Amino acid sequence: MLEQAKKLGFVSLGFSGHGYQGFDEEYSMSPETQQEYINTVRALREVTCSDRSAPRIWLGVEEDSLTPTAQKEKNRRDMDYVIVSTHYFTTDFEGEPLYVDGFPRRIHEYVRKQLDGDYMAMVQEYYDLHVSALLASERVDIIGHFDLIRKYAASHDLFDENSPEYRRIALDALERAFPCGGIREINTGAMARGYLDTPYPTRELLGAWHEMGGRITITSDCHFADKLDHAYKDAIELAKACGFTSAIMLGTGDDLFDEVTL
């Protein structure tokens, strides 16, 4: 990741592994591996401090809305920045966690068995959980992929994201989430992995965020070094089309964030 960032001319680079959450350790870090992760990123930062070609390294974590409170408090002590996301509907559906962006078959089963086949109730449940976690957090630096629930909406016939009912729920959630103070990411990760042709969030949600006076950043959620800047040009054009003239990036000095002109 660092070598690719150098090649691309990045001036800052943030790592944000999926933090320990007390369940589903196959997906996220354990307490031991999270400490190893912290040590590794801090050591990498020390090594690159004297390298003028290297970006400024930041230590972050992507925290789930269902992460226990004690772990959230620890994250805020240990990390430079925190991304708050929602990846689960529940930690236990038929003995396993149920992912928002997981196997569509299980999502269909959940809606049929738990929600009487009401997919808009599923949408409402997701956004309510996400907004509640954002508002309850003592510190949200970045709001993770706000409309992650769109990932399989069209390809696996979950719901119509252009329907008035979905748009009303999503826009209402966006407005309710604004007081958390977080910076909203334009996230190109689903594009990089071939799931969607557009970033999170939709143009409508991003335009509404601009009207509210919200701030944005651009992230690749890359998982792979060769996708580190995937579709950044598309994300910038989308931001401009929604009225944004600047974005927030991880800082190059002591300040966590810098503002840059688009």
Side-chain angles (χ1 to χ4, degrees), residues 1-67:
M1 290 289 188
L2 176 59
E3 291 305 312
Q4 181 69 1
K6 286 183 180 182
K7 292 177 183 178
L8 294 170
F10 276 34
V11 294
S12 60
L13 177 66
F15 291 93
S16 51
H18 290 272
Y20 173 66
Q21 53 201 16
F23 63 94
D24 196 14
E25 289 189 9
E26 182 178 349
Y27 174 84
S28 61
M29 291 183 275
S30 68
E32 294 76 21
T33 55
Q34 181 156 326
Q35 189 57 54
E36 291 174 9
Y37 162 75
I38 291 169
N39 295 342
T40 299
V41 175
R42 286 176 176 170
L44 187 65
R45 178 160 56 199
E46 289 300 316
V47 168
T48 58
C49 279
S50 60
D51 183 354
R52 291 187 176 183
S53 68
R56 169 71 159 88
I57 302 294
W58 293 93
L59 169 63
V61 67
E62 186 175 10
E63 174 184 281
D64 192 76
S65 59
L66 298 179
T67 299

Side-chain angles (χ1 to χ4, degrees), residues 86-257:
T86 297
H87 296 98
Y88 304 89
F89 291 108
T90 175
T91 61
D92 185 8
F93 172 62
E94 298 183 339
E96 297 179 357
L98 180 64
Y99 299 95
V100 172
D101 58 340
F103 295 114
R105 173 186 57 79
R106 295 200 74 229
I107 297 175
H108 280 296
E109 289 177 0
Y110 176 73
V111 173
R112 178 171 58 85
K113 294 178 179 179
Q114 301 294 325
L115 302 174
D116 295 324
D118 187 344
Y119 286 88
M120 283 301 133
M122 173 197 70
V123 168
Q124 188 72 63
E125 186 176 277
Y126 164 75
Y127 278 116
D128 284 348
L129 181 61
H130 197 27
V131 170
S132 295
L134 292 168
L135 295 179
S137 177
E138 292 184 2
R139 177 181 129 212
V140 180
D141 295 310
I142 298 173
I143 302 169
H145 37 58
F146 187 74
D147 50 351
L148 179 65
I149 200 168
R150 291 175 45 233
K151 182 175 178 179
Y152 293 122
S155 63
H156 288 78
D157 197 27
L158 295 177
F159 59 87
D160 178 5
E161 66 181 72
N162 295 309
S163 70
E165 189 173 6
Y166 170 78
R167 291 166 57 207
R168 176 185 59 77
I169 293 171
L171 285 166
D172 174 68
L174 188 79
E175 187 169 355
R176 288 189 289 131
F178 183 80
C180 80
I183 298 165
R184 185 165 308 282
E185 63 173 3
I186 301 178
N187 181 315
T188 63
M191 299 173 71
R193 293 184 282 283
Y195 293 108
L196 295 174
D197 296 327
T198 56
Y200 305 114
T202 62
R203 179 168 179 164
E204 181 176 32
L205 290 177
L206 195 61
W209 190 249
H210 176 263
E211 291 177 4
M212 293 176 198
R215 299 179 297 166
I216 58 165
T217 189
I218 296 173
T219 70
S220 60
D221 194 357
C222 55
H223 291 218
F224 302 98
D226 63 351
K227 304 294 186 182
L228 191 56
D229 66 341
H230 185 85
Y232 269 22
K233 290 182 179 179
D234 294 335
I236 291 170
E237 290 306 311
L238 175 62
K240 288 180 176 179
C242 290
F244 289 96
T245 57
S246 65
I248 303 300
M249 58 175 269
L250 290 170
T252 58
D254 293 333
D255 292 337
L256 176 58
F257 292 125

